[in-house]
Amino acid sequence: MFYENKRDIFLLYCECNPLQYPLHVHQYIELVHVVKGILQMQIGTEKYLLQPGELAIVFPNTAHDYHTFTPPPEKNAQLHILNCRLDYLPIHKTQLLNMFPKHPKLCASDIHPDVFYAENRLFEINQEDYDQSLVSSLVSLMLSRILPKLDLTDYRELPPQDLSCDIAAYIGKHFQEEISLTSVAKHFGIGKYTLSRIFSNVLKMNFTAYINSLRIDYADYLLLSTDLGMMDIAIECGYHNQQTFYRLFKSIHGCTPKEYRQQRSPAVLASPPAQSFVYEQDF
């Protein structure tokens, strides 16, 4: 398993090639809509088979993988995959962080037409002018129709999964606070050297790099979506020393936070890279 850290705040694309993607975990939500073919997914500890017209949702910090399985005469599957940061979803953020679905798959008959309407509009936005508030509203509309169809339960009742997923989930909720390798290790009742090995061997980065990655990602969002001052953003992201914040930010982006805000608009950061796809509306 590995930790996936995309820089995009929002990303929607159509995957038309055979897909064999290994077990991974990330901080954002993911919606997977199967248009053609058959997709096998592991979400948490369970495996699911998705048929055309069906949809699965992956909550933050939940391990999952993909394996397309398309028998003849079909050549390839066609998947619509949406990733979105929780900061774009203020209405649903608390629920997404504190709950989990017992069955994260929806059959075609359980999916409200608004979900496909919003998906269509999001594809159009990908190709036209990007509008942050519109993207947020459309993804929120999808979730407003999807979440009531799921059997949600408290995250604390989540069936046992890989310890690294639990650690990622915990840090995802607390990265803005005073947090250290020692404090996290104590919370999980393990030694700090054991925790350090989990980061090195499973998440493929050290603890400090992981925390800074989450904090600078959040700083990106605040810089482009608010008018907060630099010190306020530093504190909001968990840094109480503005110089430390500036130094780490520049090491990742190659510019200061002020320069980043001046040089970029929300469209530059959040608009997905150009994707080559053929969108077919056959549902």
Side-chain angles (χ1 to χ4, degrees), residues 87-249:
D87 300 307
Y88 256 34
L89 307 167
I91 297 174
H92 299 101
K93 182 176 181 178
T94 299
Q95 190 176 27
L96 291 168
L97 283 174
N98 293 286
M99 306 293 285
F100 80 97
K102 291 183 178 179
H103 302 287
K105 168 186 165 182
L106 287 182
C107 296
S109 60
D110 291 328
I111 303 173
H112 194 280
D114 284 350
V115 175
F116 297 130
Y117 163 76
E119 183 181 86
N120 289 348
R121 287 292 295 119
L122 287 166
F123 268 111
E124 293 171 358
I125 293 169
N126 268 3
Q127 302 170 64
E128 301 171 356
D129 292 334
Y130 185 86
D131 186 312
Q132 174 180 323
S133 60
L134 182 56
V135 167
S136 176
S137 298
L138 289 169
V139 179
S140 295
L141 172 60
M142 296 176 79
L143 291 176
S144 294
R145 293 300 192 181
I146 291 170
L147 296 182
K149 294 289 186 178
L150 302 175
D151 184 6
L152 298 177
T153 189
D154 192 286
Y155 186 85
R156 289 170 294 185
E157 298 178 19
L158 183 69
Q161 58 178 352
D162 191 290
L163 179 60
S164 58
C165 296
D166 293 332
I167 292 169
Y170 177 81
I171 294 175
K173 294 180 182 179
H174 299 283
F175 71 89
Q176 295 166 261
E177 306 167 12
E178 291 287 344
I179 194 169
S180 67
L181 188 72
T182 301
S183 67
V184 175
K186 182 177 180 180
H187 175 83
F188 286 96
I190 59 177
K192 63 180 183 179
Y193 297 109
T194 299
L195 179 59
S196 182
R197 285 196 298 273
I198 289 174
F199 275 91
S200 297
N201 298 333
V202 179
L203 299 177
K204 307 302 181 185
M205 63 176 70
N206 64 42
F207 177 85
T208 301
Y210 184 74
I211 296 295
N212 286 329
S213 175
L214 296 181
R215 288 176 172 176
I216 298 303
D217 275 354
Y218 189 47
D220 294 348
Y221 170 77
L222 294 176
L223 284 164
L224 299 179
S225 62
T226 74
D227 58 1
L228 290 174
M230 296 302 118
M231 190 62 207
D232 289 334
I233 289 177
I235 292 173
E236 184 69 19
C237 294
Y239 298 111
H240 296 281
N241 184 307
Q242 190 169 341
Q243 289 182 333
T244 300
F245 170 55
Y246 268 55
R247 175 176 56 80
L248 290 168
F249 192 96

